[in-house]
């Protein structure tokens, strides 16, 4: 398990990845070639992954993101140390906060 700011990255066994995810198209990369896990609304900084792989977002505002890194990668952010990730599948979870009557994703 890895955490960088408000992003949690949890290893997932390959046989636990839903079949529709393995064939789903990945999210587009940003202009710098990174897979963005969370974008800072105020600063424009991003929690992002570099290296070969795919990021698949499940539908819905709180749908999980699944990250596949066939050769490993690094989680980078302008204000945090980089975190190396071994090859494999990961579930990416954004921290949420409770507001009376609602739940929202934490804004960076």
């Amino acid at each position: 398990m890895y955490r960088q700011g408000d992003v949690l990255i949890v290893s997932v066994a390959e046989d636990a990845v839903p079949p529709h995810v393995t064939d789903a198209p990945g999210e587009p990369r940003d202009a710098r070639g990174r897979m963005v896990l969370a974008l800072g609304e105020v600063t424009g900084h991003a929690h992002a992954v570099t290296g070969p792989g795919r990021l698949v977002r499940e539908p819905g505002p709180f749908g999980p993101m699944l990250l596949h890194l066939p050769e490993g990668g690094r989680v980078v952010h302008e204000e945090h140390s980089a975190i190396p990730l071994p090859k494999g599948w990961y579930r990416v979870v954004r921290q949420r906060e409770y507001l009376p009557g609602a739940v929202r994703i934490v804004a960076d």
Side-chain angles (χ1 to χ4, degrees):
M1 197 174 333
Y2 306 87
R3 178 174 290 285
Q4 188 183 69
D6 58 350
V7 175
L8 176 67
I9 302 166
V10 182
S11 182
V12 175
E14 189 163 350
D15 60 353
V17 176
H20 71 276
V21 170
T22 58
D23 298 328
E27 289 287 304
R29 293 176 180 251
D30 71 358
R32 294 167 56 183
R34 307 173 304 172
M35 295 175 278
V36 175
L37 308 178
L39 183 62
E41 293 83 6
V42 176
T43 63
H45 295 164
H47 297 279
V49 175
T50 60
R54 288 185 311 119
L55 178 64
V56 178
R57 292 181 193 266
E58 292 284 90
F62 299 113
M65 291 185 284
L66 291 165
L67 175 66
H68 183 227
L69 299 174
E71 299 175 18
R74 290 175 5 125
V75 183
V76 296
H77 185 280
E78 292 82 353
E79 297 172 339
H80 299 281
S81 297
I83 300 172
L85 296 174
K87 69 179 180 178
W89 281 93
Y90 297 90
R91 182 168 189 252
V92 179
V93 181
R94 293 284 310 276
Q95 183 173 335
R96 293 173 282 213
E97 63 185 354
Y98 171 78
L99 300 170
V103 175
R104 72 179 183 103
I105 293 176
V106 172
D108 191 14

